[in-house]
């Protein structure tokens, strides 16, 4: 890190950041992976020097990427440094027998190196060359610094500045607002009637709900294991099934997972942990930081109901729940008292990112990919795609015991089979959809 030319700015942390603090420190101390990573697949000519210049410009304007986390008198703070030292190295893998596999292995090795929250910088980036006009722009960061929404803000802004540099024009002012302004808005929420309303909503919503079914292994030897991913049915079939129920594909994915769990585990109520961006205001949508939250979606499932009926019920509950997503899940769990521990494990979790993820790099075709995630709660299903379900990708990560490596592919296969059957006929009883 360069010597600061001005005193660092010391700010509070958000509730979600505080909840990640202990886990991030512990994983770093145990030399386990504690970062998240993603990459942009690029097909086309890339000016590496212009890309680095654009990234330097944007990162200098992004307070979250100049942060490190420190304790002052026992209180966790984020220290915003005047500058951080970093570079965008070019890693040439084009001579490898299989450049794509070599890139995956390079990124996996990078991901395994933990980052201490007190270090600086709390991110790293590289441009991997796989062949002529074929690149992967790789980025990883400590989750306390940024969430997936923020990473999207960052990458799209870098693309804008890169395009301006290539065109010889000015990129325009930064659209990012300050962390201090965001914290002031959060303080207003804590003091508002909306905060009280949200607490009361979740108290009523979860009253009498049984504890979630835990799907992942919980022993000390359990490890996170990812599957190969699901090949979903054609986008127009998924979209047609969702639209017939008055909703869209994210609710369909949630309903499929709820049905699978209810029927396999013979439980009448399924509770899913659903991560959300928690960006309900214009200000929050313009500040890169970690603001993500999660809420508890509870759905009653009967083997005699049709998938169409379950999908309509899931969509109705989801629409109501997301309007109360600002209340930190930590507060929801605290209000549950002794029940909070069983609801707070995050297992099972369904993470939906229903937005188009291409970057506008001049002369290039791009696709954004999640590469590595920090740990696993037990059962973590990830689904991303465009609003019309095109490009839909579904993958599963589970915590499994030693010797259970076949568990994840088998679970993916059952989910895919159920998905295909309910898309083929959403009006038959669910129990028939799972019959071999």
């Amino acid at each position: 890190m360069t010597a600061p030319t001005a005193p660092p700015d010391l700010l509070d942390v958000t509730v979600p950041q505080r909840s990640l603090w202990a886990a991030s420190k512990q994983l770093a101390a145990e030399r386990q992976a504690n970062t998240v990573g993603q990459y942009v697949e690029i097909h086309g000519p890339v000016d590496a020097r212009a890309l680095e210049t654009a990234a330097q410009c944007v990162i200098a304007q992004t307070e979250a990427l100049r942060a490190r986390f420190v304790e002052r008198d026992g209180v966790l703070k984020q220290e915003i440094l005047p500058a951080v030292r970093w570079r965008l190295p070019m890693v040439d893998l084009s001579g490898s027998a299989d450049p794509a596999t070599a890139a995956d292995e390079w990124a996996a090795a990078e991901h395994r190196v933990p980052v201490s929250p007190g270090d600086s910088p709390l991110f790293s980036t590289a441009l991997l060359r796989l062949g002529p006009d074929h690149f992967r722009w790789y980025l990883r960061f400590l989750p306390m610094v940024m969430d997936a929404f923020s990473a999207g803000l960052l990458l799209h802004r870098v693309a804008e500045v890169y395009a301006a540099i290539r065109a010889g024009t000015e990129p325009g002012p930064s659209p990012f607002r300050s962390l201090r302004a965001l914290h002031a808005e959060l303080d207003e929420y804590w003091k508002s009637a909306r905060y009280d309303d949200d607490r009361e909503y979740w108290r009523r919503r979860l009253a009498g709900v049984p504890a979630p079914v835990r799907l992942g292994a919980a022993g000390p030897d359990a490890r996170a294991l990812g599957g190969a991913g699901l090949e979903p049915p054609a986008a127009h079939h998924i979209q047609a099934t969702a639209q017939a129920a008055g909703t869209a594909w994210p609710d369909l994915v949630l309903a499929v997972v709820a049905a699978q769990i209810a029927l396999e585990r013979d439980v009448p109520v399924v509770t899913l942990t659903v991560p959300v961006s928690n960006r309900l205001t214009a200000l929050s949508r313009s500040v890169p930081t970690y603001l993500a939250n999660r809420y508890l979606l509870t759905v009653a499932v009967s083997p005699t109901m049709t998938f169409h009926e379950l999908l309509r019920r899931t969509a109705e509950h989801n629409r109501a729940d997301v309007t109360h997503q600002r209340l930190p899940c930590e507060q929801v769990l605290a209000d549950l008292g002794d029940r909070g521990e069983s609801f707070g494990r995050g297992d099972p979790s369904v993470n939906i990112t229903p937005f188009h993820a291409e970057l506008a790099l001049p002369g290039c075709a791009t696709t954004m990919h999640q590469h590595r995630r920090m740990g696993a709660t037990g059962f973590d299903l990830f689904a991303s795609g465009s609003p019309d379900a095109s490009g839909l990708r579904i993958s599963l990560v589970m915590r499994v015991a030693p010797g259970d490596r076949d568990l994840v592919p088998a679970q993916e296969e059952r989910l895919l089979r159920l998905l295909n059957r309910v898309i083929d006929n959403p009006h038959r009883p669910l129990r028939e959809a799972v019959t071999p």
Side-chain angles (χ1 to χ4, degrees), residues 16-326:
Q17 284 176 320
R18 189 178 300 114
S19 69
L20 289 175
W21 165 248
S24 296
K25 282 203 311 178
Q26 180 177 345
L27 288 171
E30 295 174 354
R31 306 300 297 169
Q32 294 189 44
N34 66 346
T35 59
V36 294
Q38 61 188 67
Y39 67 90
V40 182
E41 191 93 28
I42 305 173
H43 292 275
V46 174
D47 183 335
R49 181 171 296 180
L51 183 63
E52 182 174 37
T53 300
Q56 287 175 337
C57 173
V58 175
I59 288 173
Q61 298 169 345
T62 306
E63 292 175 315
L65 292 180
R66 292 185 280 112
R68 66 180 179 184
F69 296 87
V70 296
E71 288 184 295
R72 294 287 185 265
D73 298 324
V75 178
L76 181 61
K77 299 284 186 178
Q78 51 184 328
E79 193 175 55
I80 311 302
L81 303 171
V84 292
R85 176 180 293 173
W86 66 277
R87 57 186 293 268
L88 179 68
M90 169 78 83
V91 181
D92 192 348
L93 302 172
S94 60
S96 303
D98 185 345
T101 298
D104 288 340
E105 292 173 349
W106 181 94
E110 183 80 1
H111 174 73
R112 285 193 293 269
V113 180
V115 174
S116 170
D119 289 345
S120 174
L122 296 177
F123 70 92
S124 64
T125 184
L127 186 64
L128 312 183
R129 183 175 183 269
L130 279 66
D133 294 341
H134 184 194
F135 301 86
R136 286 185 184 179
W137 177 19
Y138 173 81
L139 172 69
R140 76 167 182 134
F141 47 88
L142 192 73
M144 291 179 69
V145 170
M146 290 198 310
D147 50 29
F149 184 93
S150 298
L153 289 179
L154 177 80
L155 295 175
H156 280 86
R157 177 58 179 168
V158 171
E160 291 176 359
V161 176
Y162 173 84
I165 292 173
R166 294 287 292 160
T169 61
E170 289 296 321
S174 171
F176 299 159
R177 302 283 300 278
S178 71
L179 286 171
R180 197 171 290 280
L182 176 64
H183 282 240
E185 183 178 79
L186 293 174
D187 287 342
E188 291 178 5
Y189 169 71
W190 298 121
K191 301 171 185 175
S192 70
R194 181 58 187 271
Y195 169 74
D196 295 330
D197 291 343
D198 288 344
R199 288 186 70 183
E200 182 57 29
Y201 173 85
W202 288 111
R203 287 192 189 103
R204 294 195 310 269
R205 183 78 171 88
L206 299 173
V209 173
V213 175
R214 190 166 190 172
L215 302 179
D221 296 332
R223 292 291 181 267
L225 182 65
L230 282 67
E231 291 290 338
H236 66 278
H237 291 312
I238 293 175
Q239 193 73 341
T241 303
Q243 288 177 345
T247 187
W249 71 261
D251 286 326
L252 186 146
V253 172
L254 291 167
V256 168
V257 176
Q260 181 79 13
I261 294 170
L263 296 171
E264 283 194 356
R265 297 301 182 96
D266 192 24
V267 292
V269 178
V270 174
T271 297
L272 303 174
T273 296
V274 184
V276 283
S277 63
N278 192 22
R279 308 281 179 150
L280 298 182
T281 68
L283 174 60
S284 66
R285 290 190 292 271
S286 64
V287 182
T289 187
Y290 186 84
L291 197 59
N293 195 18
R294 62 197 191 278
Y295 65 92
L296 301 169
L297 174 66
T298 297
V299 184
V301 184
S302 167
T304 60
M305 71 191 312
T306 68
F307 181 74
H308 178 81
E309 292 169 337
L310 174 61
L311 179 52
R312 288 177 62 88
R313 177 180 294 179
T314 302
E316 179 184 357
H317 290 333
N318 202 27
R319 279 193 292 268
D321 288 350
V322 295
T323 62
H324 299 274
Q325 65 176 271
R326 289 189 75 182

Side-chain angles (χ1 to χ4, degrees), residues 215-216 257 346-349 377-381 396-398 411 415:
L215 302 179
V257 176
D347 176 6
S349 169
T377 61
F379 177 103
D380 299 83
L381 186 123
L396 177 65
V397 178
M398 294 185 68
Q411 182 68 64
L415 277 168

